[in-house]
Amino acid sequence: MFDDKQKLEISQDELALIEAALHTQSKILSVQASAGGSKALGHLNEVKRVLASISQQRVRETTTKPAWGGLFRMARLLG
């Protein structure tokens, strides 16, 4: 099976803006879905899936980065 994912290079500010826009869209779609919009419910589920994916990737990025700041602070305390 082929991986259809594409890597994009965007800044943290751009990602935060996209995430905020998706949260807003999620709220709008939630209201539309509660009013009986079946298409809105489908779109809402897609938006929530993308938001979850962004959240998981952010967590993964922060846990894989080396903690150089902590290491330098320890070295400064010891020496």
Side-chain angles (χ1 to χ4, degrees):
M1 182 179 282
F2 294 104
D3 187 12
D4 62 347
K5 293 183 180 179
Q6 201 175 29
K7 290 191 177 191
L8 300 174
E9 291 187 26
I10 58 174
S11 71
Q12 289 297 319
D13 291 337
E14 292 169 330
L15 183 59
L17 180 64
I18 292 168
E19 193 172 10
L22 287 173
H23 279 292
T24 301
Q25 185 66 25
S26 175
K27 291 175 185 177
I28 293 167
L29 289 169
S30 179
V31 170
Q32 290 176 344
S34 67
S38 59
K39 274 190 175 180
L41 184 58
H43 290 302
L44 176 61
N45 289 332
E46 291 175 25
V47 169
K48 284 185 176 182
R49 182 188 54 77
V50 172
L51 282 169
S53 176
I54 290 172
S55 177
Q56 287 176 350
Q57 290 180 34
R58 275 198 172 175
V59 168
R60 205 175 318 136
E61 285 178 5
T62 58
T63 58
T64 58
K65 289 183 181 177
W68 294 110
L71 183 62
F72 288 127
R73 279 193 300 269
M74 282 181 44
R76 197 172 41 200
L77 287 172
L78 297 175

